[in-house]
Amino acid sequence: MKLFKKIVKRFLPGKKNKPIKQYHKISFSQCGEDLLVDYIFNLRGINKPSYIDIGANAPFFLNNTNIFYQRGCRGINIDANPNCIERFKKERPEDVNLAVGIGSENSNKIFYVMNDSTLSTFSEVEYQKYLKTGKYKLVEKKLIKITTLQEVLSIYNKGLFPDFLSIDVEGLDFEIIKSINFAESSPKIICIEAAEYSPIGSGERRNEIINFLEQNDYYEYANTNLNAIMVKRDFWFI
């Protein structure tokens, strides 16, 4: 027991263990995706990347861009749930925070707000899938304005993509990705949901999204099973 206590004390942060703290890294993402993205940017000499987070949900919890905000980076957060965006306005007021949906054209759509806000969606197929688990319930349906990604970029970023795109919109990721004009402007790094929903995290790989991005000159740098980190080839292979 004495030996065990000595080992624990040796590695726990404390006054006598200050040198250890310099190696400590904090992640806000679901599976450490933000640390992977940060590592790639650091290798390319970008310490303060700009970002756009579609389906942002929460300022800190399971968030891929907060690590950069805390460092002084700024970007755009988008979520169709106005309650989620109110939290961003409070906790991350220096970002642009928009309560809209993103789609291939301007319209209005029914948004299914779930009791687990991370699963709220415009997709009726996904919504029905969540209900069938018996674990999740519908809180309310809202008619939400849909705008295009290009319109958001034109208004808030001179029509250009920020360095990093994080996207998680429960079933409509591919529709949004296909709306990007990659020849005109595209993010250096994309973090996108790469697996179908599964309550235990074992959903099938969404190869159609990965293949599409690879056809548009992206390289799959990493995959945490839930999310893929896609890097522009001319940004990575230099």
Side-chain angles (χ1 to χ4, degrees):
M1 182 60 72
K2 288 183 179 180
L3 178 60
F4 175 74
K5 288 182 178 179
K6 285 182 179 180
I7 294 173
V8 171
K9 188 176 181 181
R10 171 67 180 83
F11 290 99
L12 281 177
K15 291 182 179 180
K16 294 182 179 180
N17 296 304
K18 286 185 179 179
I20 296 176
K21 292 184 179 180
Q22 65 181 304
Y23 305 111
H24 182 61
K25 294 183 179 180
I26 296 175
S27 172
F28 296 91
S29 295
Q30 190 168 10
C31 301
E33 291 86 354
D34 53 356
L35 295 180
L36 288 168
V37 172
D38 187 34
Y39 176 74
I40 298 167
F41 277 127
N42 282 329
L43 286 177
R44 293 295 173 262
I46 299 178
N47 297 316
K48 288 191 174 183
S50 55
Y51 50 81
I52 181 166
D53 191 344
I54 304 174
N57 187 61
F60 311 119
F61 178 63
L62 303 183
N63 188 278
N64 292 333
T65 61
N66 185 58
I67 192 173
F68 303 114
Y69 185 85
Q70 298 298 321
R71 190 182 300 161
C73 309
R74 297 296 178 258
I76 303 169
N77 302 304
I78 301 172
D79 199 282
N81 190 335
N83 294 330
C84 291
I85 289 301
E86 284 304 311
R87 295 201 296 271
F88 274 92
K89 289 178 179 179
K90 179 181 178 181
E91 302 292 348
R92 291 170 57 173
E94 294 183 34
D95 277 341
V96 172
N97 300 301
L98 306 174
V100 297
I102 298 295
S104 57
E105 58 184 9
N106 293 330
S107 63
N108 292 288
K109 287 186 178 180
I110 296 294
F111 186 62
Y112 302 93
V113 181
M114 308 302 292
N115 60 331
D116 181 341
S117 63
T118 64
L119 299 178
S120 297
T121 179
F122 284 104
S123 170
E124 185 174 358
V125 173
E126 293 297 309
Y127 152 65
Q128 293 292 347
K129 189 186 299 183
Y130 302 146
L131 289 185
K132 287 179 182 178
T133 66
K135 184 178 179 181
Y136 305 109
K137 296 180 180 179
L138 179 70
V139 175
E140 62 177 323
K141 296 180 183 179
K142 289 186 176 185
L143 187 64
I144 298 292
K145 175 186 175 183
I146 301 290
T147 189
T148 66
L149 184 51
Q150 188 55 51
E151 185 171 334
V152 170
L153 295 176
S154 296
I155 295 172
Y156 297 101
N157 208 50
K158 299 179 180 180
L160 302 174
F161 253 103
D163 298 312
F164 175 42
L165 165 63
S166 177
I167 178 169
D168 184 355
V169 289
E170 302 307 316
L172 296 179
D173 311 69
F174 198 18
E175 178 184 329
I176 295 172
I177 288 295
K178 287 191 293 185
S179 74
I180 297 174
N181 185 339
F182 290 94
E184 188 173 292
S185 178
S186 56
K188 296 177 178 67
I189 302 176
I190 299 174
C191 180
I192 188 165
E193 195 169 45
E196 297 289 346
Y197 169 76
S198 165
I200 59 171
S202 60
E204 287 188 36
R205 179 177 164 87
R206 302 171 74 186
N207 287 312
E208 72 280 7
I209 294 178
I210 306 302
N211 293 341
F212 179 81
L213 287 170
E214 289 178 339
Q215 290 164 14
N216 282 278
D217 294 324
Y218 279 82
Y219 165 68
E220 187 176 10
Y221 175 88
N223 191 306
T224 64
N225 186 55
L226 294 178
N227 295 289
I229 309 297
M230 309 296 295
V231 186
K232 283 186 74 171
R233 287 185 173 274
D234 61 4
F235 180 63
W236 182 245
F237 296 104
I238 59 174

